[in-house]
Amino acid sequence: MNSGIKAYNEQQIEQEKEICFLLAQEIDKALPEAQSKIWHAHPVWFINGNPVAGYSKLKGCIRLLFWSGQSFEEDQLQSEGKFKAAEIRYTDISQVDTKDLTRWLNKSKNDSVGL
């Protein structure tokens, strides 16, 4: 795990820390070719220099963001902003479905191929 991301995760309160570490672990596993770093103060994974997935601490939750997530056509992901981004928010580690997460990460990888 990237040392900056590990430090970011360690700064969170216990429940959110667990979510962050699980997300980082699953993203690293699904996107081994991605470069991860702290970007604009949040953990982000890049493929071919383009951001594909990342998460951030919001008031009361951890937000997982996919930069091309609107193209995934997944009901659980909500549109974010005016571009193609989509998000899901977690308040408890039990809400993180790793099967869904892996599917979304594979879609983000496939979307990045044409970039």
Side-chain angles (χ1 to χ4, degrees):
M1 178 180 304
N2 173 291
S3 61
I5 292 173
K6 183 176 180 182
Y8 177 93
N9 293 349
E10 289 288 348
Q11 293 174 4
Q12 308 311 315
I13 61 170
E14 197 58 38
Q15 191 169 338
E16 293 167 345
K17 183 186 302 188
E18 290 177 0
I19 296 168
C20 289
F21 274 109
L22 177 59
L23 291 176
Q25 174 185 315
E26 293 298 317
I27 296 169
D28 280 343
K29 185 168 57 173
L31 303 177
E33 72 281 14
Q35 175 196 16
S36 60
K37 64 182 178 180
I38 299 296
W39 188 54
H40 298 288
H42 306 290
V44 177
W45 282 255
F46 295 80
I47 296 178
N48 298 327
N50 297 295
V52 293
Y55 56 85
S56 58
K57 164 73 175 107
L58 299 179
K59 186 175 181 177
C61 71
I62 299 296
R63 175 181 69 171
L64 175 62
L65 182 72
F66 295 96
W67 269 255
S68 61
Q70 289 181 28
S71 67
F72 299 176
E73 298 180 358
E74 295 277 351
D75 292 338
Q76 303 98 315
L77 299 175
Q78 303 300 311
S79 295
E80 165 59 27
K82 51 187 171 180
F83 298 104
K84 292 175 63 177
E87 68 172 28
I88 187 168
R89 297 180 182 201
Y90 301 110
T91 57
D92 188 89
I93 195 166
S94 67
Q95 297 170 325
V96 181
D97 183 323
T98 56
K99 288 181 183 178
D100 287 342
L101 179 55
T102 299
R103 185 176 65 253
W104 301 332
L105 290 164
N106 286 329
K107 288 181 177 188
S108 71
K109 184 183 343 185
N110 292 336
D111 279 358
S112 72
V113 171
L115 296 174

